[in-house]
Amino acid sequence: MAKTGQSAMYRGSVHDFPDFDPNQDAEALYTAMKGFGSDKESILELITSRSNKQRQEISQSYKSLYGKDLIADLKYELTGKFERLIVNLMRPLAYCDAKEIKDAISGIGTDEKCLIEILASRTNEQMHQLVAAYKDAYERDLESDIMGDTSGHFQKMLVVLLQGTRENDDVVSEDLVQQDVQDLYEAGELKWGTDEAQFIYILGNRSKQHLRLVFDEYLKTTGKPIEASIRGELSGDFEKLMLAVVKCIRSTPEYFADRLFKAMKGLGTRDNTLIRIMVSRSELDMLDIREIFRTKYEKSLYNMIKNDTSGEYKKALLKLCGGDDDAAGQFFPEAAQVAYQMWELSAVARVELRGTVCAANDFNPDADAKALRKAMKGIGTDEATIIDIITHRSNAQRQQIQQTFKSHFGRDLMADLKSEISGDLARLILGLMMPPAHYDAKQLKKAMEGAGTDEKTLIEILATRTNAEIRAINEAYKEDYHKSLEDALSSDTSGHFRRILISLATGNREEGGENRDQAREDAQEIADTPSGDKTSLETRFMTVLCTRSYPHLRRVFQEFIKMTNYDIEHVIKKEMSGDVKDAFVAIVQSVKNKPLFFADKLYKSMKGAGTDEKTLTRVMISRSEIDLLNIRREFIEKYDKSLHQAIEDDTSGDFLKALLALCGGED
């Protein structure tokens, strides 16, 4: 509940302290720093429990009572990251931003990431306060200092943002939306070179609400998100700045959730970024940032901070975070709506799905068959030729090559390839040579062979394939293994998990659009299940998730949020467990955004020590002619690294070359 002076929709994690007495707090801080050493626990407990406005009153009281500057004393008593965090908390937000920018442009080199983060995310009012604070603190003009330290289009956009003249959100014109879409398209995609001035003018001045409509229309008109055009047309720091502006327009809390994740992932921690965000957002939107963080990264911000920092520094950051969402297991109401908006656009935008492998022009199966025979004849194998031909032909063309190879040479191409290549490359090339349904059937068969079952593979394939693809897999399985897929699943799985897989394996999901009345009924059916009634909950989820069409399920998810303020995915994770939970989560993620689901699979197959080559191979093969280009875009958007780069960093040799050929380009 918000305290006095804070609105009912307050989304910060730090509140005004009740029964606040600035003189008493000043005395407590003086005592904590008096004598040999300092009571850091008392300092962090007090300062993180007061709002910024209250901290300013404490500073005034401290000076009145002791004739000393509180920030100067804190700097003297504290050290390192903990000192930086506490001192930043003691400054008014505008002065804190001013100090960060001054540090970013002082000395040798410029911290462009800091400039981008602050200037891309602040409101008009915050920008005006920043300019005034900079002038007051340093007796210098911020615009002049930024112009002196930056250049080109990057500089121009920073100066535009610094003016704090973005239109208000009530300024929206449908005609102007269409005009801006056309102007951006003509300035980038349709132009030889790029008219950067149009991007700067539109993205730097239009209201957030107007620009969200522009982005929606741009996607519908061009078939690609505005971010893809920015990456294709702009470069360097200017590109990074414009992408940050777009992200903040879409969702400022999501922008900061991403920044926090990147500050702590991998080896080492970007403490300056972590401190800056935790301080600056603690009284603005930390609750929304926390929940989006939990949604996107499947772990709480609290736990990531806990595992990535230490000492008093960690304790102070956790106080600013305000709570552990893994422990709570629930959504904040407003953040649930934000979480839905993160993927709702893809449900209505009709994004064109595009693979990276398509039919080769001037295709000549006779020439290809001869080239492959030559590559495998005699001593040694010409892997480069094999990779070049097979990764640059569609699956239908590969089948023609196989037939031609047998007609010309009386040999089985698959058998020859098996004898000439090995390891990960063989798995990839042989998989590409199989018709998609037979390839999926083989992956399912292998997942159920021997001791133990590979449930993740079963889920990945059955939860993501279309009705037509599922029916083709059933036929291929029967043809290749003389047993129905349903019988195989029945004998190798059990319980609710088996029922889910068999339901998916029938390929009888409804097709067509949404039915709003039915969607409300479906959402209500799930919402009405008593918490803790696991069997009933799983049955109701299966009835809806395994049978309804994708467009209809998107509407069900939206209605569920409206009714409960919870995202359906998090309800599944909270109430269910094991393979049943994993299967339902996969279905929901696939419905929300299938390319993103596969981008996550690819990322997880390559992160950390070692590589899951089987998953990497399976996804690259199965999506190469369907939506791998879309997967690439989702990958770079979420992980700030291209799929091409990830593959390059994590694989090697001919396997690497073949994967990069399938990837189809560097983003």
Side-chain angles (χ1 to χ4, degrees):
M1 180 67 70
K3 305 295 186 232
T4 306
Q6 295 169 336
S7 77
M9 294 296 290
Y10 181 69
R11 302 297 296 150
S13 55
V14 174
H15 301 262
D16 288 337
F17 190 74
D19 304 321
F20 172 61
D21 183 338
N23 288 335
Q24 185 177 318
D25 285 350
E27 289 172 11
L29 287 172
Y30 182 77
T31 301
M33 293 185 282
K34 192 177 178 182
F36 183 75
S38 55
D39 183 355
K40 297 181 180 67
E41 189 78 31
S42 295
I43 293 170
L44 82 85
E45 183 65 33
L46 193 150
I47 289 176
T48 58
S49 300
R50 306 299 186 268
S51 67
N52 192 277
K53 179 174 176 292
Q54 290 175 333
R55 293 182 206 123
Q56 305 319 308
E57 292 183 50
I58 295 169
S59 285
Q60 280 296 323
S61 294
Y62 193 91
K63 186 167 282 188
S64 299
L65 289 170
Y66 305 109
K68 302 178 73 175
D69 183 80
L70 176 55
I71 287 181
D73 280 4
L74 287 167
K75 282 183 175 179
Y76 180 79
E77 292 291 335
L78 308 177
T79 59
K81 296 172 286 191
F82 181 55
E83 177 218 320
R84 185 182 181 96
L85 174 60
I86 293 298
V87 168
N88 275 12
L89 284 168
M90 290 306 304
R91 294 190 177 106
L93 176 60
Y95 284 82
C96 192
D97 280 350
K99 177 68 165 62
E100 290 291 313
I101 287 182
K102 187 72 167 66
D103 290 347
I105 57 179
S106 294
I108 299 171
T110 305
D111 183 354
E112 290 87 2
K113 289 181 179 177
C114 174
L115 293 181
I116 290 169
E117 179 194 300
I118 293 174
L119 298 185
S121 64
R122 301 311 191 243
T123 65
N124 287 349
E125 183 183 359
Q126 289 168 342
M127 208 70 82
H128 299 153
Q129 291 170 351
L130 165 59
V131 171
Y134 193 91
K135 185 79 171 176
D136 180 52
Y138 306 110
E139 298 182 349
R140 297 178 65 87
D141 179 65
L142 179 54
E143 183 178 324
S144 298
D145 281 1
I146 283 178
M147 289 187 71
D149 214 63
T150 58
S151 61
H153 298 298
F154 178 59
Q155 176 198 85
K156 291 173 187 174
M157 185 61 178
L158 289 175
V159 170
V160 167
L161 294 171
L162 203 55
Q163 306 313 302
T165 54
R166 187 177 295 285
E167 295 166 350
N168 295 324
D169 272 347
D170 56 358
V171 181
V172 176
S173 161
E174 288 186 18
D175 291 339
L176 191 56
V177 166
Q178 295 295 338
Q179 185 61 54
D180 283 348
V181 169
Q182 193 60 35
D183 287 347
L184 287 170
Y185 193 38
E186 290 176 357
E189 299 286 340
L190 297 182
K191 189 178 178 67
W192 180 259
T194 306
D195 182 0
E196 290 87 352
Q198 280 286 21
F199 280 85
I200 290 171
Y201 177 73
I202 293 171
L203 295 182
N205 290 283
R206 298 286 191 247
S207 73
K208 285 192 169 186
Q209 184 56 37
H210 175 90
L211 284 171
R212 289 182 193 117
L213 295 174
V214 169
F215 299 161
D216 292 357
E217 281 302 315
Y218 190 91
L219 183 59
K220 292 175 186 175
T221 301
T222 68
K224 62 166 65 175
I226 187 70
E227 292 90 341
S229 292
I230 288 172
R231 288 193 183 97
E233 300 297 328
L234 312 180
S235 62
D237 293 325
F238 181 45
E239 174 197 345
K240 292 171 187 171
L241 173 58
M242 298 305 259
L243 288 171
V245 168
V246 169
K247 179 145 277 188
C248 286
I249 285 161
R250 290 196 188 277
S251 169
T252 303
E254 184 183 355
Y255 171 74
F256 283 112
D258 291 346
R259 291 279 294 160
L260 285 168
F261 179 75
K262 288 166 187 172
M264 292 182 281
K265 75 171 184 176
L267 294 173
T269 304
R270 299 172 193 172
D271 293 292
N272 288 355
T273 300
L274 179 57
I275 290 168
R276 186 170 57 243
I277 296 172
M278 295 302 291
V279 169
S280 66
R281 310 316 292 187
S282 62
E283 294 185 46
L284 295 174
D285 51 8
M286 184 57 71
L287 300 189
D288 293 322
I289 292 169
R290 271 170 46 184
E291 199 51 46
I292 290 172
F293 192 100
R294 183 67 183 78
T295 302
K296 290 191 76 169
Y297 300 113
E298 299 180 3
K299 66 181 75 175
S300 70
L301 175 59
Y302 186 97
N303 264 325
M304 195 156 186
I305 292 170
K306 189 176 176 182
N307 294 330
D308 214 62
T309 58
S310 60
E312 284 85 8
Y313 176 54
K314 174 174 78 173
K315 292 176 185 175
L317 287 171
L318 293 179
K319 286 275 289 181
L320 294 179
C321 182
D324 183 0
D325 303 307
D326 285 340
Q330 295 187 348
F331 259 51
F332 298 106
E334 293 84 354
Q337 302 295 337
V338 173
Y340 176 79
Q341 291 162 9
M342 285 161 55
W343 49 264
E344 163 66 0
L345 180 59
S346 67
V348 297
R350 308 272 193 276
V351 179
E352 180 189 359
L353 297 178
R354 293 174 59 192
T356 53
V357 175
C358 54
N361 295 323
D362 303 320
F363 172 57
N364 185 335
D366 186 68
D368 285 348
K370 288 176 180 175
L372 287 170
R373 176 66 180 141
K374 183 179 178 182
M376 294 185 284
K377 197 173 180 182
I379 299 172
T381 305
D382 181 359
E383 287 89 353
T385 296
I386 295 171
I387 291 168
D388 184 56
I389 291 174
I390 291 176
T391 60
H392 291 96
R393 304 296 184 269
S394 68
N395 193 275
Q397 289 175 333
R398 294 182 205 123
Q399 305 316 311
Q400 291 183 57
I401 294 170
Q402 280 203 74
Q403 192 59 52
T404 303
F405 194 91
K406 183 165 280 187
S407 298
H408 276 349
F409 307 111
R411 301 173 67 91
D412 182 85
L413 177 55
M414 292 283 280
D416 281 6
L417 286 167
K418 277 183 186 177
S419 69
E420 293 291 331
I421 55 178
S422 60
D424 295 327
L425 178 64
R427 190 182 297 116
L428 179 64
I429 294 298
L430 293 169
L432 287 168
M433 290 305 303
M434 297 180 72
H438 289 266
Y439 178 72
D440 278 347
K442 184 175 182 181
Q443 299 309 302
L444 292 169
K445 180 74 163 63
K446 290 174 89 169
M448 294 182 280
E449 277 180 344
T453 304
D454 181 358
E455 291 86 0
K456 289 182 179 177
T457 297
L458 298 180
I459 291 168
E460 177 198 307
I461 294 173
L462 295 176
T464 61
R465 302 308 192 250
T466 65
N467 282 347
E469 289 167 341
I470 290 287
R471 289 167 192 154
I473 291 169
N474 273 289
E475 291 177 12
Y477 200 96
K478 185 78 171 175
E479 179 184 338
D480 294 344
Y481 307 113
H482 311 293
K483 183 178 183 180
S484 74
L485 176 58
E486 182 179 332
D487 287 346
L489 291 168
S490 294
S491 62
D492 209 66
T493 58
S494 61
H496 263 98
F497 182 55
R498 175 170 63 194
R499 291 173 58 197
I500 293 165
L501 294 181
I502 289 174
S503 178
L504 293 172
T506 61
N508 285 326
R509 184 180 294 282
E510 294 169 0
E511 298 182 349
E514 66 184 55
N515 179 323
R516 290 202 175 209
D517 291 338
Q518 182 64 53
R520 278 189 286 272
E521 288 181 24
D522 288 342
Q524 193 69 59
E525 175 80 5
I526 297 170
D528 285 346
T529 310
S531 180
D533 187 353
K534 192 173 176 183
T535 301
S536 179
L537 189 68
E538 289 174 353
T539 300
R540 293 188 189 197
F541 267 84
M542 189 179 79
T543 302
V544 175
L545 293 182
C546 295
T547 63
R548 304 288 192 248
S549 71
Y550 272 30
H552 181 83
L553 284 173
R554 292 187 186 107
R555 182 57 55 191
V556 172
F557 299 165
Q558 173 68 346
E559 294 298 330
F560 188 83
I561 282 179
K562 287 177 183 175
M563 289 175 188
T564 67
N565 276 327
Y566 299 155
D567 181 275
I568 202 161
E569 185 176 334
H570 279 263
V571 172
I572 292 168
K573 289 176 178 176
K574 180 188 174 188
E575 298 290 341
M576 301 180 195
S577 61
D579 298 327
V580 170
K581 177 192 74 174
D582 293 342
F584 283 144
V585 167
I587 294 168
V588 170
Q589 290 179 345
S590 181
V591 170
K592 287 179 176 181
N593 186 335
K594 194 178 289 186
L596 179 58
F597 171 81
F598 283 112
D600 287 340
K601 294 284 287 185
L602 287 170
Y603 177 78
K604 289 169 184 172
S605 76
M606 293 182 280
K607 78 168 186 176
T611 305
D612 179 358
E613 289 88 357
K614 290 182 180 178
T615 298
L616 175 58
T617 299
R618 186 173 60 247
V619 175
M620 293 295 288
I621 290 173
S622 65
R623 310 315 295 181
S624 60
E625 292 185 51
I626 299 173
D627 55 4
L628 190 52
L629 188 61
N630 306 80
I631 292 168
R632 272 171 41 186
R633 289 171 181 165
E634 295 292 350
F635 194 100
I636 195 170
E637 178 67 24
K638 181 165 181 179
Y639 298 110
D640 202 29
K641 180 180 188 177
S642 70
L643 177 58
H644 186 283
Q645 186 63 54
I647 291 170
E648 206 165 46
D649 291 345
D650 216 62
T651 60
S652 61
D654 292 322
F655 183 51
L656 163 66
K657 293 173 187 174
L659 287 172
L660 292 183
L662 289 181
C663 183
E666 169 64 281
D667 297 303

